[in-house]
Amino acid sequence: MAERLALFATTARGTEELLADELKELGARRIRQDRGGVRFMASLDEALKVCLWSRIAMRVLYPLGEFEARGAEGLYEAVASVPWEEHLTPETTFAVEATLKDSEHSHTGFVALKVKDAVVDRMRDKRGARPDVDPRNPDVRVVAHLVREKLSLSLDLCGEPLHRRGYRVRPTAAPMKETLAAALLRAAGYTGEEALVDPMCGSGTVLIEGGLIARRRAPGIARDFAVEKWPHLGARARELLEDMRADARRHERKVAVPILGFDKDPEALEAARRNVKAARLSEEIVLSEGDATKLPPLPEPPGLLLTNPPYGDRLGSGGQKGMKSFYFKLGDSLRAQKGWRLFVLSGNEAFESAFHARPSSRRQLWNGPIECTLLGYRPFYVRPGSSEAPLGAPQQPVDVAPVRPEDEGEE
Ligand SMILES: C[S@@+](CC[C@H](N)C(=O)[O-])C[C@H]1O[C@@H](n2cnc3c(N)ncnc32)[C@H](O)[C@@H]1O
């Protein structure tokens, strides 16, 4: 295996630029954004640092090659041409994960099976024995991605995707992926030096990711990575990671800013409490039952409000008219938090006008299959004499004349 690895880190669509910035900070080189991910070069220790420290990447893949693969036979031949004996031994367990797009094959299971057969046959041919398949906890995960007749084969350095930090012990109705929450915090410029509030915190993902940033805690500190079990790199990877984990623990610091979460649903709050506890952030994050449309005054700014309100489809909202009215009240409540920066991830196109304020930034991204917009708002009001005058912001809380949803015609 080469000294310097050519790798591909996957991420939610729309967050590629944020991941590229993060990878640069982590020491990656020759960074190139692609759709749904970022290509980069890294030595083994730099690659492990990405696994341990990337807050945004979902997977870190080691691409083995791209092939024309026509029909079942072509697929088999393409896979069998890869020198699997350089990556596996007969004692290594492995699993194949297949994804398809516009492919002549309709079943991922069939493609995974063909890939497995080709790997096994090649190993038997070259090493005289075959490795076993372990779908649950394999030593090596092979990722096969087939777009039309173009097959990409990779090995996954991480194993379980990186959003599985290990702290989500109680899910809720519409949780956000941990990696997406971290991407939003980066987009909002959150570094852990200012207060953080999520007024509709659900299972607490934004707060926990913010807490990890403020604590300077490595997001992957509580988990291990598949590469540690690879036959040829595993021993070296374990050694390097042991040092990196110890170093990461030494450099954690106390959180000096308030991190507060509210939700009106007691079940969501209970989930958040459990998740916060599992993330070992119970001392840093304070959760309370509360209605975001009647938010109490928050601590002194500087502070960041970051939230994703219900979009209306999954959470039972009383229709689009009800959502508009809710967003309108939310606008009144959040704009009253003077001097606080605000970022809202919305998947409902009615949000922006109903919220009745003009965003200063806008980023399209995907929350799973839902296309969303991350809207950024400058602080709505500057305290008299404050040195933190936001760039060109009006001195009045409202910068767009509000139109009550009730005044608008029926949908
Ligand atoms: C899309 S979910 C947030 C998911 C969250 N980011 C997570 O990762 O779990 C929206 C949340 O808003 C909460 N919510 C809805 N209306 C609210 C209100 N008026 N005040 C406070 N919370 C509210 C819901 O209970 C739900 O937990």
Side-chain angles (χ1 to χ4, degrees):
M1 200 172 269
E3 273 292 288
R4 197 160 285 286
L5 310 171
L7 300 170
F8 181 66
T10 66
T11 190
R13 266 173 66 199
T15 65
E16 296 88 347
E17 185 193 359
L18 300 164
L19 174 59
D21 280 355
E22 185 190 56
L23 290 174
K24 195 169 167 203
E25 269 173 31
L26 292 173
R29 282 163 239 206
R30 291 172 57 189
I31 295 166
R32 206 155 39 85
Q33 290 175 45
D34 213 330
R35 191 182 149 100
V38 177
R39 298 189 185 280
F40 65 102
M41 300 288 294
S43 61
L44 178 63
D45 60 338
E46 288 161 351
L48 296 172
K49 192 170 170 198
V50 170
C51 293
L52 182 64
W53 277 100
S54 174
R55 300 183 189 278
I56 298 176
M58 303 245 280
R59 288 166 181 267
V60 182
L61 301 177
Y62 175 59
L64 299 175
E66 290 191 347
F67 311 83
E68 280 302 314
R70 193 163 303 160
E73 206 42 44
L75 182 61
Y76 179 94
E77 292 300 330
V79 180
S81 71
V82 173
W84 294 103
E85 59 282 2
E86 290 177 11
H87 309 290
L88 301 169
T89 70
E91 291 75 39
T92 317
T93 61
F94 78 107
V96 180
E97 192 184 305
T99 50
L100 308 178
K101 191 164 178 255
D102 304 331
S103 166
E104 61 189 306
H105 306 289
S106 46
H107 292 291
T108 51
F110 172 78
V111 171
L113 195 66
K114 271 283 153 202
V115 173
K116 186 228 39 164
D117 286 347
V119 173
V120 161
D121 292 348
R122 167 127 190 172
M123 287 298 291
R124 210 186 267 121
D125 186 37
K126 299 285 178 191
R127 292 284 181 266
R130 57 158 286 178
D132 283 336
V133 171
D134 178 350
R136 275 168 208 275
N137 189 23
D139 299 330
V140 175
R141 274 172 204 255
V142 176
V143 178
H145 185 51
L146 192 57
V147 181
R148 287 180 286 279
E149 289 169 351
K150 196 165 114 190
L151 172 71
S152 316
L153 289 170
S154 313
L155 302 183
D156 183 343
L157 272 78
C158 306
E160 287 286 300
L162 290 178
H163 72 81
R164 304 236 171 97
R165 315 272 205 235
Y167 64 68
R168 184 165 284 163
V169 291
R170 179 82 88 91
T172 48
M176 180 190 288
K177 278 208 171 75
E178 297 82 335
T179 40
L180 181 63
L184 302 184
L185 285 157
R186 178 172 270 266
Y190 187 71
T191 58
E193 307 293 341
E194 67 192 310
L196 174 66
V197 170
D198 183 346
M200 286 163 283
C201 68
S203 60
T205 323
V206 166
L207 302 169
I208 295 174
E209 290 300 316
L212 295 177
I213 292 170
R215 195 99 171 80
R216 303 287 185 262
R217 184 176 292 159
I221 197 79
R223 53 165 289 164
D224 46 25
F225 304 100
V227 63
E228 296 177 70
K229 294 194 282 180
W230 287 9
H232 306 303
L233 284 185
R236 179 81 188 117
R238 282 196 299 278
E239 206 179 298
L240 287 167
L241 274 165
E242 195 179 327
D243 287 347
M244 282 182 204
R245 288 184 179 111
D247 193 50
R249 286 196 184 93
R250 268 198 303 277
H251 286 93
E252 281 195 24
R253 62 168 205 184
K254 285 210 178 309
V255 176
V257 292
I259 303 182
L260 314 176
F262 301 86
D263 204 286
K264 70 167 190 188
D265 175 2
E267 270 187 42
L269 264 188
E270 180 53 26
R273 268 198 193 98
R274 292 193 184 206
N275 294 339
V276 163
K277 186 166 178 223
R280 296 186 292 120
L281 290 170
S282 298
E283 282 182 19
E284 288 81 0
I285 297 175
V286 178
L287 299 166
S288 319
E289 203 171 316
D291 184 342
T293 63
K294 297 176 189 130
L295 210 57
L298 298 176
E300 283 290 298
L304 170 67
L305 277 155
L306 173 51
T307 196
N308 76 309
Y311 307 155
D313 48 357
R314 286 192 281 183
L315 296 169
S317 58
Q320 189 70 339
K321 198 170 177 199
M323 289 313 294
K324 283 185 187 174
S325 164
F326 169 62
Y327 294 148
F328 188 88
K329 288 183 202 148
L330 195 62
D332 280 347
S333 167
L334 299 188
R335 282 186 296 104
Q337 303 298 335
K338 297 182 174 71
W340 279 66
R341 302 191 300 124
L342 169 66
F343 279 75
V344 179
L345 181 70
S346 175
N348 185 328
E349 57 187 25
F351 177 85
E352 196 178 326
S353 64
F355 192 74
H356 59 281
R358 190 182 302 125
S360 57
S361 69
R362 187 191 304 271
R363 183 186 288 270
Q364 295 304 119
L365 47 83
W366 273 255
N367 181 4
I370 306 172
E371 186 175 0
C372 295
T373 311
L374 179 66
L375 299 162
Y377 299 87
R378 292 192 181 104
F380 290 102
Y381 177 78
V382 186
R383 279 148 205 270
S386 165
S387 58
E388 294 179 313
L391 303 164
Q395 299 291 304
Q396 292 299 320
V398 181
D399 62 351
V400 170
V403 179
R404 290 205 164 270
E406 301 89 271
D407 300 339
E408 295 180 353
E410 281 293 325
E411 294 267 297

